[in-house]
């Protein structure tokens, strides 16, 4: 079985795939560079046990991280607890099957490249992939499936926190879809501005990308808050919760020989 690890800025996702690509389990931990391999190991082994997966069942691993401080502990985790040397997305020996057609390919986050691989394999280009994470990213996949660039905006939770921290009288509010655009109180006004403002940003960015790319591109959304926004706009064609994990599985399959 394959252990796939996606270390994002907020959460690190661990998933196990069977050889034929079936997702056998998925678990999340908060991302911190201070967490040791043993802390990961004790936590993960217990979760695997609950799904009747033995450490000896894991014979391969792949890691994508946008937090460099986590990489050492995750590599040691794979070696010490599963006796396997992981592939690491972004290292020179790991093939992606797609090309990053931007000014400096080394600048692209591993998660964005992995999403591009999975999105092209499942939906085909040209395509816009929106990832609702710590940042909200818009990634462009061209007709040949290559990564062609994109845009990065603050994630909705970051925006809410910044609004609360910078304005003394504004409270911390939850992310939810308000019934009306026009708020009749401070909380409802904040929720409307954040939620409907993000919907407008999504629609505006997609329209501008399509115009600049000169193609009627479909849109796939992933990330924890994707479904909340998909329900509010018709501009998003698909929601794919496991897009990044699926991309890791595909990259491993490409490299396992």
């Amino acid at each position: 079985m394959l252990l796939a690890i996606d270390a994002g800025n907020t959460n690190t996702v661990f998933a196990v795939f069977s050889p034929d690509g079936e997702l056998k389990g998925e678990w999340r931990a908060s991302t911190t560079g201070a967490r040791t391999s043993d802390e990961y190991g004790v936590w993960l082994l217990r979760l695997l046990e609950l799904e009747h997966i033995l450490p000896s069942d894991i014979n391969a691993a792949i890691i994508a991280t946008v937090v460099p401080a986590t990489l050492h502990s995750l590599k040691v985790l794979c070696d010490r607890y599963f006796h396997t040397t992981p592939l690491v997305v972004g290292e020179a020996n790991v093939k992606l099957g797609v090309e990053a057609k931007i000014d400096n390919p080394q600048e692209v986050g591993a998660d964005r490249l992995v999403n591009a691989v999975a999105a092209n394999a499942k939906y085909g280009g040209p395509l816009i992939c929106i990832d609702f994470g710590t940042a909200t990213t818009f990634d462009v996949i061209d007709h040949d499936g290559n990564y062609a660039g994109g845009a990065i905006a603050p994630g909705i939770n970051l925006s809410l926190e910044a609004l609360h921290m910078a304005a003394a009288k504004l409270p911390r509010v939850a992310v939810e879809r308000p019934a009306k655009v026009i708020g009749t109180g401070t909380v409802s006004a904040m929720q409307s501005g954040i939620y409907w403002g993000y919907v407008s940003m999504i629609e505006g960015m997609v329209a501008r990308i399509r115009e600049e790319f000169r193609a009627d591109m479909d849109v796939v959304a992933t990330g924890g808050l994707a479904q909340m926004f998909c329900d509010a706009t018709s501009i998003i064609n698909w929601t794919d919760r496991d897009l990044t994990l699926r991309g890791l599985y595909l990259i491993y399959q490409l490299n396992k020989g």
Side-chain angles (χ1 to χ4, degrees), residues 169-188:
K169 290 188 176 181
L170 295 183
R172 182 179 281 108
V173 299
V175 180
E176 59 181 65
R177 177 177 177 172
K180 299 184 296 182
V181 175
I182 301 173
T184 53
T186 299
V187 171
S188 61

Side-chain angles (χ1 to χ4, degrees), residues 17-198:
F17 286 94
S18 67
D20 61 359
E22 180 184 357
L23 185 60
K24 307 298 290 187
E26 178 184 338
W27 309 273
R28 293 173 180 266
S30 58
T31 298
T32 170
R35 184 166 284 132
T36 68
S37 59
D38 294 322
E39 289 174 313
Y40 281 124
V42 170
W43 172 81
L44 184 56
L45 290 182
R46 177 56 179 155
L47 293 171
L48 291 172
E49 181 183 350
L50 293 174
E51 297 296 328
H52 308 291
I53 299 173
L54 299 174
S56 58
D57 293 333
I58 307 296
N59 56 16
I62 184 169
I63 300 170
T65 180
V66 296
V67 185
T70 66
L71 183 57
H72 175 72
S73 290
L74 292 173
K75 291 173 78 171
V76 174
L77 166 75
C78 296
D79 178 56
R80 179 174 297 168
Y81 289 91
F82 303 104
H83 308 294
T84 184
T85 301
L87 296 175
V88 178
V89 175
E91 292 187 348
N93 64 321
V94 178
K95 298 178 292 185
L96 301 180
V98 301
E99 183 180 350
K101 293 189 171 182
I102 63 170
D103 297 337
N104 185 359
Q106 300 302 317
E107 291 180 350
V108 186
D111 54 343
R112 302 177 77 184
L113 293 174
V114 172
N115 285 346
V117 170
N120 178 64
K122 188 169 183 179
Y123 305 104
L127 188 72
I128 301 169
C129 178
I130 307 176
D131 192 341
F132 294 91
T134 305
T136 299
T137 57
F138 298 80
D139 295 316
V140 177
I141 295 97
D142 68 15
H143 296 76
D144 298 318
N146 295 313
Y147 179 84
I152 303 173
I156 190 167
N157 285 313
L158 278 180
S159 298
L160 278 171
E161 188 64 20
L163 195 61
H164 166 68
M165 294 295 292
K169 290 188 176 181
L170 295 183
R172 182 179 281 108
V173 299
V175 180
E176 59 181 65
R177 177 177 177 172
K180 299 184 296 182
V181 175
I182 301 173
T184 53
T186 299
V187 171
S188 61
M190 290 176 66
Q191 289 175 329
S192 175
I194 289 292
Y195 185 85
W196 292 115
Y198 257 75

Side-chain angles (χ1 to χ4, degrees), residues 200-211:
S200 298
M201 179 191 72
I202 293 162
E203 294 174 338
M205 286 296 292
V206 168
R208 288 177 180 274
I209 290 171
R210 285 172 171 170
E211 180 181 4

